[in-house]
Amino acid sequence: MNAPAHTTQLLARPVPQALLDALSQRFGTQYSSALAVRAQHGRDEGSIEAPPPAAVVFAESRQDVQDAVRLAAQHAVPVIAYAAGSSLEGHLLAVQGGISIDVNRMNRVLSIDADDLTVTVQPGITRKQLNEAIKDRGLFFPIDPGADASMGGMAATRASGTNAVRYGTMRENVLALEVVTASGEAIRTGTRAKKSSAGYDLTRLMVGSEGTLGIFTEVTLRLYPLPEAVSAAICSFPSIEAAVRTVIQTIQLGVPIARVELIDANSVRMVNAHSKLDLREEPMLLMEFHGSPSGVREQAETVQALASEHGGQAFEWASTPEERTRLWTARHNAYFAAVQSRPGCRAISTDTCVPISRLADCLLDSVAEADASGIPYFLVGHVGDGNFHFGYLIDPNDVGERERAERLNHQLVTRALAMGGTCTGEHGVGIHKMGFLLDEAGAGAVDMMRAIKRALDPQNILNPGKIFTL
């Protein structure tokens, strides 16, 4: 089993003053080399640190992105796309130096095709902004990774989240892309049609490429009608195993549940303190059902009966939008609640995904190891599709704690791979999971990825040092 890669293995490339001068002249107030601005664009929500980029360009159009990439390419300088900055595995770090291209100002909805259930947006628009813009059409975009991430970033990392058990991931919901390549050319992949047999599937190649093959300037997405009825419920369990067994039976029975989230007792306790709630501090499932009123009621009754068989109790309903928002906001704030529970800590977050039949075994063994380590942690999971997340809360100045946390991560990923799972269900590879990708995919597959990267980015300027080394 390969260990995670570290930024110390990577060397920054020089950024010539001639490039910085050219960028400043071309972009004016859309350019910054101020340390505070560079520092903001040189970190994500993860625990890995690296020097900031040499400069930041605030792109407002496709032409801006093209011009910035072309100038960087002339000097063989790396470029890193930046939007919400919510990634966790070091995707945004300038480990080989270079410049950051911030696309947050590219946040418009370009077209809504309600009849075809599609929308085309710029990459900087966030999940919440998109749903606010389309709700009056009776539509919504379901992929919800927890953070208010950007559509470009979500496509680049092949994100998923709480709704994936019913609506899939970004892989299934990105129909087409406009991409600026390493040479500064803009290409289009895919169409709004439901299917195509025309040539290589470049959209699928780009989705999940983490900015290493191109920078997205437009994203065309699949939309869904707002469900006629929505109901949410929470249920507490005597153990994690009981909660997970309930989920497994729910999925195997084919209940079309929209969301089912596992929150362990540690996380419930942290969320209670952070969000001023009084949830039972036991392992908990937070569930949501979409459909017609009768369908939602039938789904919920089926799951409630399954939960009761496994000792589930305190089944509480949240039928109003306000009640549902309160519960889901608390869930989405679990990461911040955990970090605040240990002042000054950093979270080493990791995620894996396993076949649903192996979920209980993988989770229980991983919990036992985390408990024995003595390191505070939190556990949440989109367990309907076998995906879960551990966050190990470490003192960043304690080398021993970091080593123990990395060992826990190593053991967790090893276990998931042995069970037919993946080293990352939705966070992506970035820097932290580079070694594990080799274990999962094999040397031949990673060599094929390298060959694609070299062909499309011969100077290795697009987010270099991520996914694998060249």
Side-chain angles (χ1 to χ4, degrees):
M1 176 67 68
N2 291 285
H6 295 287
T7 58
T8 53
Q9 298 171 328
L10 305 168
L11 298 176
R13 305 187 216 171
V15 178
Q17 186 61 43
L19 170 61
L20 300 180
D21 292 342
L23 291 170
S24 179
Q25 181 177 0
R26 162 62 178 83
F27 290 100
T29 58
Q30 292 173 241
Y31 166 87
S32 178
S33 59
L35 178 58
V37 175
R38 294 190 292 118
Q40 176 193 355
H41 289 76
R43 62 174 181 263
D44 59 11
E45 295 292 345
S47 63
I48 302 172
E49 296 185 359
V56 178
V57 170
F58 294 89
E60 297 180 358
S61 67
R62 177 188 66 197
Q63 190 64 56
D64 284 350
V65 176
Q66 289 182 273
D67 288 351
V69 171
R70 284 170 178 159
L71 287 170
Q74 290 175 15
H75 298 273
V77 167
V79 290
I80 306 164
Y82 180 95
S86 58
S87 59
L88 290 162
E89 302 290 0
H91 301 86
L92 307 175
L93 303 187
V95 292
Q96 293 191 21
I99 65 170
S100 174
I101 300 181
D102 184 318
V103 298
N104 277 299
R105 298 179 187 178
M106 298 175 64
N107 62 359
R108 293 189 296 122
V109 175
L110 300 176
S111 66
I112 302 173
D113 298 283
D115 291 342
D116 294 324
L117 296 178
T118 66
V119 65
T120 298
V121 300
Q122 292 183 309
I125 193 169
T126 68
R127 174 181 61 86
K128 291 180 180 178
Q129 289 172 337
L130 173 57
N131 277 318
E132 184 65 26
I134 61 178
K135 69 178 183 181
D136 290 343
R137 305 286 190 101
L139 302 171
F140 83 118
F141 182 69
I143 309 306
D144 177 5
D148 190 21
S150 70
M151 289 299 110
M154 288 169 62
T157 56
R158 200 158 59 226
S160 56
T162 60
N163 278 321
V165 63
R166 177 159 181 167
Y167 297 100
T169 72
M170 290 300 282
R171 179 180 62 187
E172 293 80 32
N173 288 284
V174 176
L175 299 175
L177 294 163
E178 181 182 79
V179 184
V180 172
T181 68
S183 66
E185 178 186 4
I187 66 166
R188 291 186 177 273
T189 75
T191 69
R192 292 194 300 109
K194 278 187 171 289
K195 60 182 181 180
S196 172
S197 296
Y200 292 174
D201 191 345
L202 296 181
T203 304
R204 299 283 82 72
L205 174 64
M206 292 292 173
V207 172
S209 61
E210 301 184 15
T212 64
L213 299 179
I215 297 177
F216 304 158
T217 49
E218 288 185 15
V219 186
T220 299
L221 301 162
R222 188 188 311 274
L223 299 179
Y224 297 80
L226 283 167
E228 183 182 359
V230 177
S231 183
I234 57 173
C235 184
S236 297
F237 290 84
S239 67
I240 289 177
E241 181 175 14
V244 172
R245 296 296 179 193
T246 299
V247 174
I248 291 173
Q249 287 193 14
T250 297
I251 301 305
Q252 290 177 341
L253 282 174
V255 178
I257 193 167
R259 302 186 188 188
V260 54
E261 293 286 293
L262 171 69
I263 310 174
D264 78 323
N266 291 336
S267 302
V268 175
R269 185 161 47 250
M270 296 168 184
V271 164
N272 276 344
H274 179 269
S275 300
K276 305 298 188 289
L277 298 177
D278 57 357
L279 302 172
R280 293 169 65 107
E281 294 182 354
E282 298 174 339
M284 174 182 295
L285 291 181
L286 175 54
M287 299 164 279
E288 193 167 278
F289 307 91
H290 295 178
S292 65
S294 60
V296 164
R297 184 169 54 253
E298 181 181 352
Q299 294 169 34
E301 289 173 352
T302 299
V303 175
Q304 186 170 6
L306 291 173
S308 297
E309 292 177 6
H310 293 282
Q313 53 187 325
F315 210 93
E316 297 181 18
W317 295 99
S319 297
T320 68
E322 294 77 15
E323 291 173 325
R324 293 197 304 273
T325 297
R326 180 178 65 93
L327 288 177
W328 285 110
T329 298
R331 161 61 186 91
H332 289 332
N333 286 338
Y335 174 85
F336 303 104
V339 171
Q340 290 183 12
S341 72
R342 189 181 185 189
C345 78
R346 296 294 296 270
I348 293 183
S349 299
T350 189
D351 81 310
T352 57
C353 187
V354 296
I356 192 72
S357 62
R358 303 306 308 274
L359 178 60
D361 295 335
C362 193
L363 261 177
L364 294 174
D365 288 348
S366 302
V367 166
E369 287 176 347
D371 285 338
S373 74
I375 294 179
Y377 70 91
F378 65 96
L379 166 62
V380 295
H382 320 311
V383 288
D385 52 16
N387 183 205
F388 60 92
H389 309 258
F390 272 87
Y392 308 110
L393 305 175
I394 66 163
D395 177 349
N397 299 315
D398 188 326
V399 175
E401 280 197 5
R402 180 177 287 275
E403 289 177 349
R404 274 187 288 158
E406 290 291 2
R407 185 162 57 250
L408 289 171
N409 175 45
H410 192 280
Q411 292 166 340
L412 169 59
V413 173
T414 301
R415 180 175 300 109
L417 294 180
M419 293 179 173
T422 176
C423 65
T424 173
E426 60 186 16
H427 288 179
V429 175
I431 298 169
H432 199 214
K433 294 287 181 73
M434 287 169 65
F436 298 128
L437 176 66
L438 186 61
D439 296 310
E440 177 176 331
V446 173
D447 282 345
M448 182 177 289
M449 296 180 202
R450 289 193 179 103
I452 293 170
K453 169 72 169 172
R454 291 190 183 104
L456 299 184
D457 181 15
Q459 295 188 99
N460 191 26
I461 65 169
L462 294 173
N463 204 14
K466 314 297 164 56
I467 305 181
F468 44 73
T469 56
L470 289 181

